[in-house]
Amino acid sequence: MSSTHTAPARAAAGVLFDGLLPQPPDAVLAVSKMFREDPRPAKIDVGVGVYRDANGHTPVFAAMKAAEARLLETQETKAYLGPEGDFGYLERLSPIIFGRGAAAADLFGVQTPGGTGALRLAAELAHAGRPGARVWLGVPSWPIHAPIFAEAGLEVTSFRHFDPQTQALTFDETLGALKGAQAGDVVLLHGCCHNPSGADPDLDQWRALTEVILERGLTPLIDLAYQGLGAGLEEDAAGLRLVLEAVDNAMVAYSCDKNFGLYRERTGALFVRARAHAEVVRTNILKIARCAWSMPPDHGAAAVRVILEDEALTALWRGELEGQRARLQAVREMLADADPRFEPIRSQRGMFSMLALSPAQVEALRRDHAVYMTGNGRINIAGLRAETIGPFAEAYDAVLRDTKA
């Protein structure tokens, strides 16, 4: 029996995606792929942005292993927690970040998928409150900062923050740029361990930044992704706390990926202060989060909470974190001792520093010496060990002699 129905004409293939353009590969991931495929046995990887110990491994904290074992034994459900996430995680994390004073009293916090999720949530909140708002961004910065803000519909205005040639903050330029900002603009600040430069403001410079923020009516968005890996847990939060003691409006994007070793668990938080708009800001944060990821992933935050609820596990975690911080500083000392041109690296902080290398010199290091780093000259200090410091310094010297910047 024949059908009287005629099949609808097939629509032209690919219409939905006709407007897409090819995108370049992620620079860090591309470097990692090339490193893996390089057969040379003495190759050095200072590109990937994760902590590595003296054996070249990225370890799981013993405190984290113990917390995960406890979760395995005691967790009774995998039901949703709600868009805010794990309240215990947020409550226990808050004094680590803000201290036990009044600075955190009126901050609203939500758990996020990593620090990146916190930054995107902050960007979406800024756009909802002031469509097209301007974000002031010191460069060089983490490569994903500007795209996150642009994708959320914000206008990004950049200024020079650091000079790789002198290895120094261009702090006068920073203040000069921010004095041209308008009330309601957002300024992105690295809380500590600046990525990629490793150069942080001192407390007097944090005070000067705070004065400009107050004078111009700016909202600081502080990205704190490496607390504890610079000068210490308390010291690394000192600048952030100075700002929060003074301002009525602020956002803090936090990551536990590095200082708890939770890279693949994507564990972060966004804290927001909006003294004149607290309730409406709270409801908007929850709406944006609900539409973005509905409920945040639980495991990493639950494990952090278990650690911070237990004095013995907290002490163990603090000791392990201090061990990582000390190793990073020891590598900095060895680099500075190996070549006087690395001397500024000694006083920088965290996992990263940025060498004054051209893309051609970076390519020469990769091609001729099997030294892998990102094209902007950022190096991961943790990628070096005592036995690779000498070869790294020799390769650096050879490239500077053989090529032009």
Side-chain angles (χ1 to χ4, degrees):
M1 181 177 179
S2 62
S3 171
T4 58
H5 298 287
T6 302
R10 185 181 296 274
V15 170
L16 176 63
F17 305 115
D18 279 351
L20 294 180
L21 298 174
Q23 299 298 312
D26 181 275
V28 176
L29 298 181
V31 170
S32 297
K33 182 176 184 294
M34 287 188 288
F35 177 81
R36 288 193 304 271
E37 294 174 351
D38 190 333
R40 289 174 286 184
K43 58 188 179 180
I44 298 172
D45 180 11
V46 288
V48 66
V50 299
Y51 175 80
R52 287 176 172 169
D53 63 19
N55 297 314
H57 301 305
T58 302
V60 179
F61 281 68
M64 184 58 61
K65 284 281 193 181
E68 290 180 311
R70 191 172 300 176
L71 279 175
L72 181 64
E73 293 174 359
T74 63
Q75 195 172 55
E76 296 179 347
T77 181
K78 295 289 186 181
Y80 293 127
L81 292 174
E84 297 93 339
D86 188 322
F87 285 108
Y89 159 76
L90 296 166
E91 290 171 0
R92 293 286 180 169
L93 198 57
S94 182
I96 299 288
I97 306 169
F98 306 108
R100 299 187 180 278
D106 53 1
L107 286 162
F108 173 68
V110 292
Q111 181 189 330
T112 61
T116 307
L119 287 165
R120 182 57 187 255
L121 184 55
E124 295 283 356
L125 179 66
H127 180 70
R130 192 175 182 219
R134 180 181 297 177
V135 178
W136 292 80
L137 177 65
V139 293
S141 193
W142 184 44
I144 308 302
H145 274 143
I148 287 173
F149 302 134
E151 288 292 330
L154 303 178
E155 176 186 345
V156 179
T157 300
S158 62
F159 56 89
R160 194 170 72 144
H161 157 85
F162 174 80
D163 183 353
Q165 295 293 334
T166 64
Q167 290 289 299
L169 293 174
T170 54
F171 193 69
D172 288 343
E173 289 187 44
T174 295
L175 292 183
L178 294 181
K179 286 178 180 178
Q182 302 298 315
D185 288 354
V186 176
V187 55
L188 188 284
L189 301 171
H190 295 235
C192 70
C193 304
H194 187 275
N195 180 4
S197 74
D200 293 337
D202 60 30
L203 286 182
D204 286 338
Q205 290 171 325
W206 275 106
R207 291 186 183 98
L209 286 169
T210 302
E211 289 177 7
V212 174
I213 287 169
L214 291 171
E215 173 190 316
R216 304 305 299 172
L218 311 181
T219 298
L221 169 53
I222 302 176
D223 186 1
L224 188 59
Y226 303 94
Q227 187 186 7
L229 290 170
L233 276 169
E234 291 295 302
E235 294 86 347
D236 289 348
L240 175 151
R241 293 175 188 177
L242 270 176
V243 175
L244 289 182
E245 286 172 1
V247 301
D248 290 332
N249 300 291
M251 297 182 285
V252 176
Y254 194 81
S255 174
C256 294
D257 294 353
K258 288 81 177 178
N259 60 2
F260 284 88
L262 285 169
Y263 297 95
R264 66 176 63 171
E265 304 296 350
R266 312 306 298 134
T267 305
L270 177 68
F271 295 88
V272 179
R273 169 183 290 155
R275 283 179 172 153
H277 307 89
E279 181 58 20
V280 69
V281 165
R282 184 189 72 83
T283 58
N284 275 268
I285 290 173
L286 294 179
K287 177 188 175 183
I288 296 167
R290 184 79 166 99
C291 293
W293 47 73
S294 185
M295 313 292 173
D298 174 61
H299 180 79
V304 170
R305 170 178 50 77
V306 169
I307 290 172
L308 298 180
E309 285 174 343
D310 184 291
E311 289 185 6
L313 288 182
T314 298
L316 177 59
W317 164 69
R318 284 176 175 268
E320 291 181 281
L321 180 60
E322 174 59 21
Q324 292 191 0
R325 189 200 69 79
R327 171 173 143 66
L328 292 172
Q329 187 56 38
V331 173
R332 290 184 177 280
E333 299 283 348
M334 287 188 287
L335 265 176
D337 291 341
D339 189 317
R341 289 169 292 191
F342 293 144
E343 182 59 33
I345 290 175
R346 191 190 304 270
S347 59
Q348 294 166 0
R349 294 288 181 263
M351 286 171 51
F352 303 112
S353 284
M354 189 174 188
L355 303 179
L357 295 169
S358 70
Q361 289 171 324
V362 171
E363 171 60 27
L365 278 167
R366 184 184 310 143
R367 181 187 64 243
D368 301 333
H369 303 278
V371 173
Y372 286 79
M373 65 182 68
T374 56
N376 64 356
R378 188 196 80 169
I379 62 170
N380 178 9
I381 297 296
L384 293 168
R385 308 190 298 277
E387 59 269 29
T388 60
I389 293 287
F392 178 83
E394 291 169 6
Y396 176 78
D397 179 67
V399 164
L400 289 188
R401 285 188 284 104
D402 294 343
T403 63
K404 294 182 179 180

